[in-house]
Amino acid sequence: MKKILIFAALILNISFASENPESLMTKANEFFIAGEYQKSIDVYQKLVSEGYKSPELLYNLANSYYRIGKIGYSILYYEKAKILAPSDEDINHNLNFVKLQTKDKIEKLPEFFLFEWWENILSLMTINQLTIFIYFLFLIALVGLLFYIISKNVKLRRVSFYASMIALGLLIFSSIILFININRQYNLKYGIILSESVIVKSSPDPISKEAFIIHEGLKVKIEDRVEEWCKIRLEDGKIGWISKDTFGII
């Protein structure tokens, strides 16, 4: 019987390997439409584990988790999808809808309006979109400078010069934003609580004092790690330590 099970598993792996990402995505979507949400999750997760990422894939995976009642995983993958497509209406709508169903209602510390304005600018475009935008600004600045040098028409030279200077200014500003976003991506980490409830400790020690309790779906900032423990910060300023197994990194 054991040999039969092993053989069946090998056949299943071979069949999966022979399918391309598009066919797997189609199969997962069909499972979802048929109401077989765990099967759709298995296929979507297979694609994710193989390194495939797209807003649609992560969005569909989040929807599947929501259908089986796993709010934490649902929010985690909506957040991952939002990184790739920050202005997508469906992703933002579903993310906000599911967040309403979490137990913890954390009051965010008031923020100076200039900081809030700056954060909005930083989130206008993804890193890939910024990179493409900077590339086009560079081309505009280069073409403008070229026309300024070779043109004998005074009006065209003036327009080319101003266009080149404006493009160069936007290029520098966009490059600063790109640098900040890349730095944040690698150094600033957020997580989503996946366990139904988590006791937050005052220090990275299982016998340390209990600070407070948080619940599934809450977004936390990850500030430090000591072995199996991670230091978190909530939006209201509370800090504490939780096990790394209780949350997923966005």
Side-chain angles (χ1 to χ4, degrees):
M1 182 65 180
K2 186 176 181 181
K3 290 182 178 179
I4 294 174
L5 290 175
I6 293 172
F7 179 73
L10 287 172
I11 293 295
L12 184 61
N13 286 336
I14 292 171
S15 66
F16 267 145
S18 64
E19 294 180 280
N20 57 41
E22 291 77 15
S23 63
L24 285 175
M25 189 75 169
T26 300
K27 178 180 286 186
N29 293 342
E30 289 172 353
F31 282 140
F32 182 87
I33 293 170
E36 299 181 89
Y37 304 118
Q38 187 57 56
K39 288 184 178 180
S40 68
I41 288 171
D42 293 339
V43 182
Y44 288 137
Q45 283 286 17
K46 177 178 174 60
L47 287 167
V48 172
S49 66
E50 291 180 354
Y52 296 103
K53 284 185 180 181
S54 71
E56 294 78 17
L57 170 59
L58 299 173
Y59 173 76
N60 290 346
L61 181 53
N63 287 339
S64 299
Y65 273 120
Y66 177 75
R67 292 301 181 96
I68 64 172
K70 291 191 175 183
I71 302 299
Y73 282 95
S74 180
I75 292 176
L76 175 64
Y77 285 101
Y78 282 135
E79 290 280 6
K80 287 177 179 287
K82 186 177 179 180
I83 291 174
L84 300 180
S87 59
D88 187 282
E89 290 184 357
D90 291 330
I91 293 172
N92 286 307
H93 175 271
N94 283 18
L95 175 58
N96 292 331
F97 174 76
V98 179
K99 279 183 175 180
L100 292 174
Q101 301 175 44
T102 58
K103 290 185 179 180
D104 298 313
K105 309 300 178 186
I106 308 297
E107 291 292 333
K108 189 176 181 180
L109 290 173
E111 198 172 51
F112 186 50
F113 78 95
L114 286 178
F115 294 148
E116 187 174 352
W117 173 76
W118 177 244
E119 289 297 326
N120 290 334
I121 290 177
L122 291 176
S123 61
L124 278 175
M125 287 188 281
T126 65
I127 289 176
N128 287 338
Q129 290 171 338
L130 268 172
T131 303
I132 295 171
F133 183 61
I134 288 170
Y135 174 74
F136 279 109
L137 287 174
F138 174 76
L139 288 180
I140 292 171
L142 190 63
V143 170
L145 183 61
L146 182 63
F147 271 101
Y148 174 76
I149 294 172
I150 66 175
S151 178
K152 295 180 180 180
N153 186 299
V154 176
K155 186 176 181 180
L156 181 58
R157 281 169 57 87
R158 186 183 296 114
V159 171
S160 299
F161 175 79
Y162 285 122
S164 180
M165 290 301 101
I166 291 172
L168 182 61
L170 288 173
L171 188 150
I172 294 171
F173 182 68
S174 299
S175 297
I176 292 171
I177 294 176
L178 178 63
F179 174 78
I180 293 173
N181 281 337
I182 291 175
N183 184 63
R184 282 188 171 190
Q185 181 174 312
Y186 286 100
N187 298 306
L188 194 60
K189 299 295 182 183
Y190 287 91
I192 301 296
I193 301 300
L194 302 178
S195 301
E196 186 174 345
S197 64
V198 177
I199 297 174
V200 183
K201 298 288 187 174
S202 58
S203 61
D205 186 339
I207 62 172
S208 64
K209 182 181 177 181
E210 297 179 3
F212 50 92
I213 298 176
I214 53 179
H215 301 87
E216 182 181 10
L218 181 65
K219 184 177 181 179
V220 297
K221 183 180 179 183
I222 313 302
E223 294 194 336
D224 197 5
R225 177 171 175 175
V226 176
E227 295 180 349
E228 301 301 305
W229 293 85
C230 291
K231 182 181 179 182
I232 63 167
R233 182 181 296 273
L234 306 188
E235 287 189 326
D236 61 3
K238 289 181 181 178
I239 59 173
W241 295 80
I242 60 175
S243 169
K244 69 177 183 66
D245 299 324
T246 58
F247 67 91
I249 294 289
I250 297 175

